[in-house]
Amino acid sequence: MKLISCAVTALLALAAPALAYDGTNCKAPGNCWEPKPGYPEKVEGSQYDPQHDPAELSKQGDALAAMDHRNAWRIWHMKTTGSFEYDVRKIEGYSETELPKVN
Amino acid sequence: MLMGAPLMAVPALANDKLVELAKDPANWVMTGRDYNAQNYSTMTEINKETVKRLRPAWSFSTGVLHGHEGTPLVVGDKMFIHSPFPNTTFALDLKDPGRIIWQNKPKQNPTARTVACCDVVNRGLAYWPGDDERGALVFRTQLDGHIVAMDAETGETVWMMENADIKVGATLTIAPYVIKDMVIVGSSGAELGVRGYVTAYNVKSGEQVWRSFATGPDEDILLADDFNAPNPHYGQKNLGIETWEGDAWKIGGGTNWGWYAYDPDIDLFYYGSGNPAPWNETMRPGDNKWTMAIWGREATSGKAKFAYQKTPHDEWDYAGVNVMMLSEQEDKEGKMRKLLTHPDRNGIVYTLDRTNGDLISADKMDDTVNWVKEVQLDTGLPVRDPEFGTRMDHKARDICPSAMGYHNQGHDSYDPDRKLFMMGINHICMDWEPFQLPYRAGQFFVGATLDMYPGPKGDRQNALGLGQIKAYNAITGEMAWEKMERFAVWGGTMATAGGLTFYGTLDGFIKARDSDTGDLLWKFKLPSGVIGHPMTYEHEGRQYVAIYYGVGGWPGVGLVFDLADPTAGLGSVGAFKRLKEFTQMGGGVMVFSIDGEGPYSDPNVGEYIPGSPT
């Protein structure tokens, strides 16, 4: 019986490093990630490097800025005329690069 | 009456006609009925004794197919109905519901449909009661990323702003939410690498009041100076960057497309951020904060007072956007607490002190949850079982819950008399194998292949037994009762003081169970499966129960898009392959009352009178 339990313990001990990341060893508060055994600490340069294209990564931020810009013109138009116009091309003085002048 | 005795002597800060309107059982003014998001009604006309006499009083077809999520709103004599894409809004006259008072049908770019991950659903409308300056407004989100304000009387569009750009894969399915004079709008698109954000707009002008992101620099996340001060071990500053490698946070997901709750006494609103992108965990080392977090944000400023990350470094798509239900209960030490209870995708029901984020309880909603051994209440950390994690070059098997979660988008209910949460639960597990893929804005960025099937208590051979409904006590952690369902209980629940718990099923029934025992007391076969939550209102002294029908959403994608590959539909096609034997697509509202009494009990109501415009 003792032999068997020793064998089991040994097996578990061997298996443990291969299955280590349990989420409770923290580098700092709120930062408890660890690489799994056999996987890199950093993926950059590894076989798992996602190689993200910075131009792709910036598209969302650009899209939000462009939408906020068009919304600013719509709000300005409604404030100055009292009527709502969605199509910014129909807003007099609309500029793709400049914000409406607020008096 | 629903709020109980206020714990704080501070007068309510909210403006808040909505709070007043919600006290009247004649109205259902927001998702979840009132700011506590309990889906609970004090009405008792329909009760354990009378429910067997519940019959349809009238119905309405929306004229579109696909998933009908959410629930209609009722304010005074009007019911406001929303539909999936193209997101037409209808106002019906409750005195004569055969008459459509107005409809507002937007023109949308059909391309929006191609970047919707999980059917072209929409979760509901919001209502702002108006002030001295301007009349009441109804708010709608559109799949193509717009937030629209409509005049509640005429349906005319008052303003329409761009919130999400479909060209980068960002869409909107969430219901807008009104707090004070702001309308809050979430985001969708983590399956396309969209970095999540929540935005507040001025109800009258559409001007942006604030916007906060789920990942990145602290100033983008909008942290209060004392963010997480009561629980520093949750993590505080700079983690939106430090828990990611390089710029991966820019496409890090964390969208919020679930539900909100709000406490006017402390001006905090609550919601959950979604999963990180991509699903391939190996491509994004780190805890990936602040995806998968429960947020307490100051409504006025948008600043986060606390956040608790439920699933650090997600490996299973346990998008943490689920319902937030507020209650006031005594904790185990007998201390009265203002609480927030949240059944998460990851199979844990979390209860936090909603004033400071303290973790009160974190219980498995079913004992078959295996990715986590337990959640340590002192550290807040989930103790992962490495056997059920996912990683590259490995196919993980028998992980429970699956990516669809043991709980998904359904808006549940809380019975304050019984102190029970009525939870619609999924019972689905999975095999999961990730793969490498590039990020291209506007294209899917998932990177995992899934097989899903019933959990251990279901029938894997026959692909049935995919759902459960349970009554849960958040303090004791005990289930008062639990029942199996053929399919996932996807749409949520509603509880009433009549001792009843109502919910719809994917196989096309509305059911009423005894809130004390879980016994099935009544059901009715609807035209199609249900993925929305029931609601109830009183009109001219009579209690009605209304529910959308129209199957769809993630469980319905196989049926809706006619898919056969079991791994298609992000793995849901296989799990729900039997669904088409029980239902087909539909779309509408069905309204019930005792004996089916209603506006047309007098058949002459609504008849044509020569010379009259109606």
Side-chain angles (χ1 to χ4, degrees):
Chain A
M1 190 61 203
K2 192 162 186 206
L3 234 172
I4 292 168
S5 72
C6 276
V8 169
T9 312
L11 259 177
L12 282 176
L14 276 175
L19 300 164
Y21 169 46
D22 75 351
T24 62
N25 301 313
C26 304
K27 285 194 277 288
N31 194 344
C32 312
W33 179 82
E34 296 175 277
K36 291 169 187 165
Y39 289 79
E41 171 89 30
K42 269 188 147 1
V43 286
E44 189 184 351
S46 79
Q47 60 173 313
Y48 304 117
D49 190 342
Q51 299 182 325
H52 293 310
D53 176 353
E56 291 292 332
L57 298 192
S58 67
K59 282 185 177 172
Q60 292 181 35
D62 295 346
L64 283 171
M67 290 191 293
D68 289 348
H69 183 82
R70 289 189 290 270
N71 288 345
W73 276 95
R74 291 172 184 129
I75 290 155
W76 173 82
H77 178 80
M78 187 158 62
K79 278 191 174 165
T80 49
T81 69
S83 68
F84 179 73
E85 173 57 60
Y86 175 79
D87 187 348
V88 288
R89 292 165 304 181
K90 292 182 184 163
I91 294 175
E92 209 181 303
Y94 171 72
S95 158
E96 254 183 54
T97 50
E98 280 176 51
L99 283 168
K101 288 194 176 61
V102 183
N103 301 326
Chain B
M1 74 194 159
L2 294 182
M3 312 278 286
L7 287 178
M8 310 182 90
V10 186
L13 295 167
N15 57 21
D16 220 350
K17 288 188 196 164
L18 280 179
V19 174
E20 287 306 310
L21 283 171
K23 286 179 181 165
D24 184 346
N27 304 317
W28 188 290
V29 291
M30 64 180 85
T31 63
R33 212 190 93 79
D34 68 8
Y35 281 134
N36 289 318
Q38 294 175 344
N39 270 358
Y40 176 77
S41 169
T42 52
M43 283 188 284
T44 55
E45 183 193 346
I46 302 169
N47 56 46
K48 292 183 192 186
E49 280 67 47
T50 59
V51 70
K52 60 178 77 67
R53 289 163 50 203
L54 208 54
R55 298 283 181 274
W58 57 273
S59 63
F60 174 77
S61 166
T62 60
V64 286
L65 298 175
H66 287 274
H68 282 59
E69 284 186 0
T71 197
L73 301 185
V74 164
V75 188
D77 282 338
K78 288 194 193 73
M79 178 182 280
F80 300 103
I81 291 166
H82 70 285
S83 84
F85 186 89
N87 307 120
T88 307
T89 314
F90 300 94
L92 300 187
D93 180 356
L94 290 180
K95 292 174 186 291
D96 181 7
R99 198 174 147 274
I100 300 168
I101 303 171
W102 57 257
Q103 52 189 298
N104 185 310
K105 187 173 184 176
K107 293 263 183 290
Q108 294 190 53
N109 183 345
T111 311
R113 300 171 62 107
T114 65
V115 286
C117 79
C118 311
D119 199 8
V120 295
V121 296
N122 184 282
R123 295 190 186 82
L125 302 167
Y127 181 82
W128 179 72
D131 62 13
D132 302 340
E133 245 175 55
R134 119 119 274 149
L137 297 167
V138 172
F139 294 94
R140 164 182 77 204
T141 57
Q142 296 180 184
L143 190 69
D144 68 0
H146 289 98
I147 167 75
V148 184
M150 296 168 286
D151 187 294
E153 292 300 317
T154 65
E156 276 173 75
T157 298
V158 175
W159 55 259
M160 170 160 126
M161 297 293 155
E162 293 178 84
N163 182 80
D165 187 348
I166 58 169
K167 287 200 275 309
V168 297
T171 51
L172 280 176
T173 59
I174 191 173
Y177 196 74
V178 168
I179 297 176
K180 298 183 177 177
D181 291 338
M182 293 179 293
V183 57
I184 313 284
V185 181
S187 52
S188 290
E191 279 57 58
L192 293 98
V194 173
R195 177 189 178 206
Y197 51 98
V198 56
T199 314
Y201 296 91
N202 180 302
V203 285
K204 292 186 201 171
S205 66
E207 268 177 286
Q208 196 182 112
V209 184
W210 50 258
R211 170 171 287 160
S212 66
F213 291 84
T215 69
D218 288 351
E219 53 271 29
D220 287 10
I221 304 178
L222 273 191
L223 300 183
D225 291 339
D226 58 351
F227 171 69
N228 270 351
N231 291 287
H233 57 288
Y234 288 178
Q236 292 176 287
K237 298 295 162 75
N238 215 28
L239 292 168
I241 298 274
E242 280 175 12
T243 59
W244 296 84
E245 182 181 323
D247 283 346
W249 57 267
K250 289 187 177 173
I251 51 169
T255 52
N256 64 107
W257 46 269
W259 311 97
Y260 299 103
Y262 175 60
D263 184 339
D265 292 341
I266 50 177
D267 192 35
L268 290 187
F269 76 101
Y270 310 95
Y271 70 99
S273 46
N275 57 291
W279 287 12
N280 182 344
E281 66 84 39
T282 306
M283 291 173 64
R284 46 168 174 80
D287 275 355
N288 307 139
K289 283 186 167 60
W290 286 93
T291 64
M292 306 297 219
I294 296 173
W295 294 88
R297 280 191 192 273
E298 223 168 57
T300 309
S301 66
K303 287 189 175 166
K305 300 290 280 185
F306 70 81
Y308 166 68
Q309 190 181 38
K310 297 162 288 179
T311 313
H313 187 72
D314 171 56
E315 304 181 6
W316 314 268
D317 181 39
Y318 295 148
V321 303
N322 290 1
V323 65
M324 303 282 172
M325 293 171 281
L326 308 188
S327 66
E328 289 176 14
Q329 300 188 58
E330 280 181 17
D331 65 15
K332 280 188 173 142
E333 284 73 46
K335 185 183 167 199
M336 200 65 172
R337 293 262 203 172
K338 290 186 132 203
L339 300 175
L340 168 167
T341 295
H342 168 76
D344 193 69
R345 281 265 274 274
N346 69 17
I348 306 288
V349 199
Y350 296 88
T351 296
L352 273 58
D353 182 319
R354 70 174 186 264
T355 65
N356 56 21
D358 287 355
L359 193 53
I360 305 291
S361 64
D363 299 309
K364 291 186 178 183
M365 59 185 85
D366 195 80
D367 54 9
T368 57
V369 172
N370 62 16
W371 73 274
V372 63
K373 291 172 180 163
E374 59 161 341
V375 176
Q376 299 173 340
L377 293 182
D378 53 345
T379 66
L381 298 173
V383 183
R384 309 159 87 97
D385 185 340
E387 191 183 338
F388 298 102
T390 70
R391 58 188 191 268
M392 273 295 291
D393 308 316
H394 169 75
K395 183 169 183 174
R397 294 177 193 276
D398 275 315
I399 304 167
C400 305
S402 77
M404 299 181 97
Y406 270 1
H407 193 291
N408 204 286
Q409 63 84 37
H411 194 311
D412 285 334
S413 56
Y414 172 69
D415 183 325
D417 293 335
R418 291 169 177 79
K419 296 183 168 38
L420 291 175
F421 291 89
M422 309 303 185
M423 303 191 302
I425 291 175
N426 304 337
H427 195 59
I428 312 169
C429 302
M430 67 176 172
D431 302 343
W432 170 299
E433 187 170 20
F435 58 86
Q436 290 279 120
L437 82 171
Y439 171 76
R440 299 274 179 270
Q443 292 180 22
F444 274 80
F445 187 51
V446 174
T449 307
L450 284 68
D451 277 301
M452 296 200 259
Y453 37 78
K457 296 173 183 174
D459 178 354
R460 276 191 196 175
Q461 217 62 39
N462 294 302
L464 295 173
L466 292 149
Q468 298 182 310
I469 179 162
K470 301 188 183 191
Y472 166 75
N473 182 309
I475 305 302
T476 65
E478 282 163 10
M479 300 290 175
W481 48 265
E482 40 192 285
K483 303 285 174 185
M484 284 298 291
E485 278 285 346
R486 179 178 288 126
F487 292 111
V489 183
W490 198 261
T493 66
M494 175 189 75
T496 74
L500 297 171
T501 298
F502 289 91
Y503 62 105
T505 64
L506 287 172
D507 54 1
F509 287 90
I510 177 172
K511 297 184 179 179
R513 288 189 184 271
D514 184 321
S515 295
D516 293 305
T517 63
D519 290 344
L520 188 61
L521 301 180
W522 172 86
K523 69 179 175 185
F524 181 85
K525 182 68 185 81
L526 296 159
S528 176
V530 176
I531 56 173
H533 50 283
M535 59 87 71
T536 185
Y537 64 96
E538 180 194 274
H539 192 251
E540 296 186 339
R542 184 176 288 121
Q543 185 185 357
Y544 294 89
V545 170
I547 194 164
Y548 284 126
Y549 62 84
V551 82
W554 195 0
V557 291
L559 184 154
V560 162
F561 297 105
D562 207 13
L563 305 172
D565 175 357
T567 66
L570 303 171
S572 94
V573 172
F576 288 93
K577 63 185 175 191
R578 301 289 307 276
L579 187 58
K580 61 179 184 288
E581 297 169 42
F582 297 87
T583 192
Q584 294 295 305
M585 283 198 276
V589 186
M590 191 74 89
V591 183
F592 297 85
S593 65
I594 299 297
D595 299 328
E597 291 285 335
Y600 303 121
S601 293
D602 172 359
N604 291 312
V605 171
E607 283 301 291
Y608 175 62
I609 300 165
S612 154
T614 54

